[in-house]
Amino acid sequence: MTGPDDLDIHCHADHVTRPATLGISQRTVERYVRDQIKKPRPELAARIEREVKKKWQPQIRAKVKKTAATTGGILVDTRARFGYTAAPGTTDDGRLRHLTVALPPEFAGRLFDAQEAGASEQQLRDIPAEALQEVYFKDRGRRAGGLLVELTDIDHIEFHL
């Protein structure tokens, strides 16, 4: 992040909108456009930064989410107890594990969609549990065919795009 002293303003007439939003006059905007004023006061720099984030951050987040949901996937880091339902003769005792696993895009998309739809905490917990079941425990269908995994007692869970 740049500080107020590092922020140079170079405006172009077609990009100047709503000076009142920044708490400045149209005349001040015109001075920036003509490069008569190069660096804003610290409080104005903070307002400019806030307005830029307000406008651009949602667009950037949406683009990153779209990439994660279509091609990139997400990384999940969790420390939680995993409960198991498995074939007879195997243990079904829950175990506390710390896992960091890259999840494929389809699970990222489901997680984002559920979050935007206002899913419950349990529904949001079920998606990474299923993803970890398929990717980590079942190795994408190469082992543990009948295994069902439940994510319980979450110590922490983080998602990285």
Side-chain angles (χ1 to χ4, degrees), residues 93-138:
D93 292 336
R95 296 183 190 157
L96 190 63
R97 293 180 183 245
H98 179 230
L99 300 175
T100 302
V101 179
L103 301 179
E106 60 268 19
F107 289 107
R110 285 180 48 202
L111 190 61
F112 296 143
D113 291 345
Q115 186 182 30
E116 287 176 14
S120 71
E121 183 76 27
Q122 184 59 48
Q123 291 168 318
L124 292 173
R125 185 180 294 192
D126 289 345
I127 295 168
E130 181 186 344
L132 290 167
Q133 170 185 289
E134 296 303 318
V135 174
Y136 180 80
F137 293 101
K138 288 185 171 184

Side-chain angles (χ1 to χ4, degrees), residues 56-68 112 116:
W56 288 100
Q57 286 297 334
Q59 295 172 17
I60 292 168
R61 285 187 184 126
K63 185 178 179 180
V64 169
K65 281 183 174 181
K66 182 179 178 185
T67 300
F112 296 143
E116 287 176 14

Side-chain angles (χ1 to χ4, degrees), residues 19 25-26 32-33 37 50 52 63 67 110 142 144 146:
S25 69
Q26 182 64 39
Y32 281 115
V33 170
I37 304 174
R50 204 171 35 251
V52 168
K63 185 178 179 180
T67 300
R110 285 180 48 202
R142 290 189 278 268

Side-chain angles (χ1 to χ4, degrees), residues 26-115:
Q26 182 64 39
R27 180 82 175 117
T28 301
V29 171
E30 290 166 4
R31 288 185 187 125
Y32 281 115
V33 170
R34 287 193 302 262
D35 281 338
Q36 291 174 336
I37 304 174
K38 303 231 185 238
K39 292 189 182 225
R41 300 177 317 276
E43 66 274 4
L44 177 57
R47 285 194 305 262
I48 290 169
E49 188 172 329
R50 204 171 35 251
E51 288 300 314
V52 168
K53 283 181 180 179
K54 190 187 312 180
K55 182 172 181 156
W56 288 100
Q57 286 297 334
Q59 295 172 17
I60 292 168
R61 285 187 184 126
K63 185 178 179 180
V64 169
K65 281 183 174 181
K66 182 179 178 185
T67 300
T70 56
T71 57
I74 57 175
L75 185 69
V76 63
D77 179 78
T78 186
R79 184 170 186 267
R81 186 168 306 281
F82 290 87
Y84 309 97
T85 304
T90 61
T91 181
D92 60 355
D93 292 336
R95 296 183 190 157
L96 190 63
R97 293 180 183 245
H98 179 230
L99 300 175
T100 302
V101 179
L103 301 179
E106 60 268 19
F107 289 107
R110 285 180 48 202
L111 190 61
F112 296 143
D113 291 345
Q115 186 182 30

